[in-house]
Amino acid sequence: MITGRVVAHAATPAAALSFFLIVTAPALACDLVTAPTSRWRVAHENGSAWLETPCGERFFSVGVNVVDGGMSGAKLSRPHYDWLANAASLEDWLDRARERLDDWGFNSVGAWSLPPQQLALPTAIDLELGRNAKFHWFDPFDPAMPERLVQTAQQLTAPYRGTPYRLGYFSDNEAGWWGGALFVFYSQKPASSHTKQRWVMELKRLYGNSWRRFTADFVPPPGVDSWTALLNAESITRLRVGGRGSAAVRHWTELVADRYYALVAAALHQADPEALFLGDRLPIYYDPMAVRAEARHVDVIATNYNVDSPEGWVAPYYFDGLRRLSGGKAVLVSEWFYAAHQNRTGNRNNGHLMTVETQDERAQGAAATAANFAAVPEILGLHWFQYYDYPLGGRGDGEDYNFGLVDIRDRPYEELVDALSAANHRLTEIHAAARPMARAQPTQFVVPHAVIDPAHASLVDWPKPAALLPPLKTATSEVPFGEAYLSWSEQGLALATIGQDYYDLDLLAYDGAFPLGEAYRIELDIEAGKGPRRFTLYFIPPRIKEKGQDHPLMTARFCQGAPAEHRGNACVVVPGGEAYYLGADQPRIAAEALLPWTALGRDGPPADGRLKVEISASAWYHSRWMSLTGLPPAKGSASPRRWIEMRLGAAPPSL
């Protein structure tokens, strides 16, 4: 922990903050109070990204969010965490919190915490700059927007300028860059909106001012038959089934995102030139177009992360994609978490975020995840969400999780903090040796033996490092938006996928059943000695989002044949096949399926243990693709000679 003597004044009487506070924390080498500058930097050493303190020392940020004494639940009448119930004074509570964090291997704090001067710890501060300046979902291209952001940035950064405890700023939290939603939203704005005017101008440019070409890809509102009418329309313009309008939707996302990051970066650098711009806390998902825009303007890309499997697996494609999109820009995991149904607060864990059964499972998974994050070269820190459990009955918005290091009565979850303490004290060493994950070459891949139960609704039983296929290849300008896993057993081949893509309920114009050709899908092509066989796993969204769900719940449909064979939304399901979509966590896609040997014309695995395989995926609205061979899905599926040769790994001796 970093030492310091700080004098701070806060004006929140209810939280007993209105006094001058003098604190001294246990010391490391860097005394931030006497540092020659307040500037933190990003550095790279032997391929790994690091923070650099104002003293010039290497720093890996192991932080905790919401270290605020309980203010996040202060307005609720139900039981919640409150420092007043646990300490004689706020000074005593702060001393105890800092001592605990130090013991548990944490060296910094993250968003929604007390002011950095008061905590006397390096702090990443969430400003909510775009929200306060009304950038998002208002009129981003308003000519007054740049000055409004500058003025708002000056106000929001004023309490923190000049303190070396201010590590940097998040401009906002989970803006999301939901491409379909951005397109739909601004299509409904009035003609007076500067952003609506820019929206129409971009569409005219993209389609060469041809209304005919535009309407081949989009369905404008009824009665709209010209660009002028489109500008004046205040109803939704939607994608046309079978069209190629997704490219225009994606372009619009990048355009809006680039304006945001450019203006926010300029405003923050003007308001506080010595502070790092840490991005806007991407919400366990990223849009590649937005990341391309972000990388041009931020010092660090911040992303929240929902761990992919209970034992702590972190899917490599996610950070590999960020690396390629940004040119190796440093990354901060600004929020990660584990909850357990077994908890002392009574949290219900009522959503799709990482939840296990017991505190022991929680501890083991969290410790493994911390090490996995530290092993990613670009990640220069990770911030746990949060210091204490949610209130009994959940937050004001209804979300209710056992995310705390301590319960609402300030009692530490000993299993968790012991496991994290052991892991946290090793993270700097792990990160110093970090390298991109080594992956097998396609022609050298051995399909591992594993008995997988797809109905288990979890990837925990997968031998993931062994079953992870080589990285899927994409068109030149794209990055993979997921990955695939393959294993075998006496029952058949098992396929799993982890990926991400955003589906907006309002974007596509269709009647009746959802068009399979517009669905996110995985194509599995196999030759196991009985001729080429083709299968398609579709993810079908609902027409509307059901009440109480935060994401549309997808349905998995496992079909025989390639997509070109599935006319009129009809397909024959794989006899004996099983497929499951794992949870309501779109835009993150996780699923697994079992393909019986009989579907490949066999009674069991081939005697010579040899297969030829092609696996490909297409995103919503056929906007992008990835495949094992590097060929577009239809071309790869139609070219069995190009499929990748694999062999089955040995089964356990008892079998």
Side-chain angles (χ1 to χ4, degrees), residues 8 89 177 253 340 470 523:
S89 67
W177 306 112
T253 302
E523 296 177 49

Side-chain angles (χ1 to χ4, degrees), residues 514-601:
F514 185 84
L516 293 183
E518 305 291 333
Y520 187 113
R521 60 183 180 264
I522 308 292
E523 296 177 49
L524 176 61
D525 303 318
I526 302 286
E527 207 288 306
K530 298 294 184 179
R533 308 294 171 101
R534 297 171 176 84
F535 310 90
T536 308
L537 176 59
Y538 291 103
F539 300 103
I540 311 300
R543 188 77 197 206
I544 59 173
K545 185 167 64 176
E546 294 183 17
K547 185 177 181 180
Q549 288 185 341
D550 52 356
H551 298 283
L553 182 60
M554 305 291 163
T555 300
R557 187 188 299 181
F558 198 16
C559 300
Q560 293 188 115
E565 303 172 49
H566 303 148
R567 303 293 183 182
N569 276 13
C571 72
V572 177
V573 299
V574 178
E578 298 179 64
Y580 298 89
Y581 173 75
L582 306 181
D585 54 355
Q586 192 267 141
R588 298 288 288 281
I589 303 292
E592 55 187 340
L594 178 65
L595 179 69
W597 290 115
T598 52
L600 295 169

Side-chain angles (χ1 to χ4, degrees), residues 3-297:
T3 188
R5 181 180 185 277
V6 61
V7 178
H9 181 270
T12 312
L17 302 182
S18 55
F19 53 83
F20 285 91
L21 176 65
I22 300 177
V23 296
T24 302
L28 280 182
C30 182
D31 183 349
L32 286 180
V33 172
T34 59
T37 175
S38 71
R39 185 186 297 277
W40 289 72
R41 302 179 188 273
V42 174
H44 290 81
E45 182 178 314
N46 297 324
S48 292
W50 301 87
L51 289 164
E52 185 179 284
T53 73
C55 302
E57 297 172 341
R58 192 175 72 177
F59 188 85
F60 188 81
S61 179
V62 188
V64 180
N65 293 330
V66 200
V67 184
D68 69 350
M71 286 191 293
S72 68
K75 295 181 180 180
L76 298 175
S77 58
R78 53 184 179 271
H80 61 275
Y81 188 90
D82 189 341
W83 73 263
L84 287 166
N86 303 298
S89 67
L90 185 58
E91 302 104 301
D92 290 343
W93 181 86
L94 283 165
D95 285 343
R96 179 61 173 151
R98 279 190 294 267
E99 181 182 4
R100 282 174 164 178
L101 293 176
D102 188 38
D103 288 345
W104 300 339
F106 295 101
N107 59 15
S108 48
V109 295
W112 307 294
S113 295
L114 292 171
Q117 302 97 316
Q118 191 170 14
L119 286 164
L121 285 169
T123 304
I125 299 155
D126 176 31
L127 294 176
E128 295 298 310
L129 174 55
R131 181 175 62 82
N132 280 287
K134 295 187 176 181
F135 181 98
H136 302 291
W137 312 111
F138 289 93
D139 196 356
F141 287 92
D142 183 345
M145 181 59 67
E147 182 58 29
R148 188 156 71 240
L149 281 166
V150 167
Q151 292 178 0
T152 307
Q154 291 283 352
Q155 295 167 3
L156 295 176
T157 60
Y160 316 113
R161 286 197 292 269
T163 172
Y165 291 114
R166 176 267 297 114
L167 193 157
Y169 299 118
F170 303 117
S171 52
D172 282 283
N173 176 58
E174 297 190 340
W177 306 112
W178 316 112
L182 282 171
F183 191 90
V184 164
F185 181 81
Y186 291 110
S187 76
Q188 302 173 83
K189 293 291 104 177
S192 59
S193 164
H194 299 281
T195 305
K196 177 66 171 291
Q197 295 165 21
R198 182 62 181 269
W199 180 81
V200 173
M201 183 181 75
E202 286 299 315
L203 289 172
K204 289 177 70 175
R205 186 183 65 80
L206 290 172
Y207 286 96
N209 205 26
S210 170
W211 184 254
R212 179 188 59 79
R213 288 177 55 201
F214 169 70
T215 55
D217 286 345
F218 289 94
V219 179
V224 173
D225 58 2
S226 68
W227 296 112
T228 299
L230 185 67
L231 176 62
N232 287 285
E234 296 184 23
S235 298
I236 297 175
T237 293
R238 291 185 164 92
L239 282 177
R240 187 178 296 278
V241 173
R244 294 290 175 179
S246 59
V249 175
R250 300 181 75 203
H251 170 75
W252 179 245
T253 302
E254 183 171 13
L255 199 69
V256 177
D258 188 73
R259 180 161 175 85
Y260 168 83
Y261 289 114
L263 294 183
V264 166
L268 287 176
H269 293 325
Q270 181 174 331
D272 191 350
E274 293 195 336
L276 291 174
F277 179 14
L278 306 174
D280 58 330
R281 294 172 54 90
L282 301 172
I284 67 175
Y285 154 84
Y286 58 82
D287 184 292
M289 310 305 284
V291 170
R292 282 197 181 96
E294 178 180 11
R296 295 191 281 266
H297 304 290

Side-chain angles (χ1 to χ4, degrees), residues 174-465:
E174 297 190 340
W177 306 112
W178 316 112
L182 282 171
F183 191 90
V184 164
F185 181 81
Y186 291 110
S187 76
Q188 302 173 83
K189 293 291 104 177
S192 59
S193 164
H194 299 281
T195 305
K196 177 66 171 291
Q197 295 165 21
R198 182 62 181 269
W199 180 81
V200 173
M201 183 181 75
E202 286 299 315
L203 289 172
K204 289 177 70 175
R205 186 183 65 80
L206 290 172
Y207 286 96
N209 205 26
S210 170
W211 184 254
R212 179 188 59 79
R213 288 177 55 201
F214 169 70
T215 55
D217 286 345
F218 289 94
V219 179
V224 173
D225 58 2
S226 68
W227 296 112
T228 299
L230 185 67
L231 176 62
N232 287 285
E234 296 184 23
S235 298
I236 297 175
T237 293
R238 291 185 164 92
L239 282 177
R240 187 178 296 278
V241 173
R244 294 290 175 179
S246 59
V249 175
R250 300 181 75 203
H251 170 75
W252 179 245
T253 302
E254 183 171 13
L255 199 69
V256 177
D258 188 73
R259 180 161 175 85
Y260 168 83
Y261 289 114
L263 294 183
V264 166
L268 287 176
H269 293 325
Q270 181 174 331
D272 191 350
E274 293 195 336
L276 291 174
F277 179 14
L278 306 174
D280 58 330
R281 294 172 54 90
L282 301 172
I284 67 175
Y285 154 84
Y286 58 82
D287 184 292
M289 310 305 284
V291 170
R292 282 197 181 96
E294 178 180 11
R296 295 191 281 266
H297 304 290
V298 301
D299 298 302
V300 175
I301 293 173
T303 181
N304 301 341
Y305 201 89
N306 190 21
V307 180
D308 296 291
S309 187
E311 83 289 355
W313 179 250
V314 175
Y317 85 92
Y318 191 92
F319 294 102
D320 288 349
L322 286 177
R323 180 185 306 121
R324 287 175 53 182
L325 287 166
S326 70
K329 184 79 70 171
V331 175
L332 172 65
V333 178
S334 43
E335 180 177 313
W336 69 288
F337 37 77
Y338 266 79
H341 290 303
Q342 175 197 51
N343 66 81
R344 292 191 299 263
T345 294
N347 298 122
R348 297 165 293 165
N349 306 309
N350 59 345
H352 64 276
L353 302 178
M354 177 50 66
T355 304
V356 294
E357 288 300 318
T358 69
Q359 288 296 325
D360 185 60
E361 290 175 279
R362 186 183 182 219
Q364 292 182 43
T369 301
N372 287 337
F373 282 142
V376 177
E378 288 77 24
I379 292 179
L380 47 61
L382 49 144
H383 292 178
W384 176 268
F385 189 85
Q386 55 181 19
Y387 185 71
Y388 49 80
D389 278 344
Y390 283 8
L392 181 64
R395 299 189 312 196
D397 62 3
E399 187 172 286
D400 186 9
Y401 280 99
N402 158 235
F403 283 160
L405 301 171
V406 303
D407 63 24
I408 59 172
R409 294 176 179 82
D410 202 40
R411 296 172 298 180
Y413 288 102
E414 296 294 348
E415 302 96 330
L416 176 67
V417 297
D418 286 350
L420 281 177
S421 176
N424 288 346
H425 285 98
R426 297 176 51 240
L427 297 186
T428 297
E429 177 185 356
I430 293 171
H431 191 60
R435 298 294 182 272
M437 182 179 180
R439 303 283 289 274
Q441 295 298 312
T443 55
Q444 299 172 342
F445 188 76
V446 177
V447 182
H449 183 279
V451 178
I452 302 297
D453 178 8
H456 188 263
S458 169
L459 300 181
V460 72
D461 52 349
W462 276 81
K464 286 178 282 294

Side-chain angles (χ1 to χ4, degrees), residues 490-501:
E490 286 59 41
Q491 287 70 46
L493 290 172
L495 169 72
T497 184
I498 300 171
Q500 60 171 349
D501 194 38

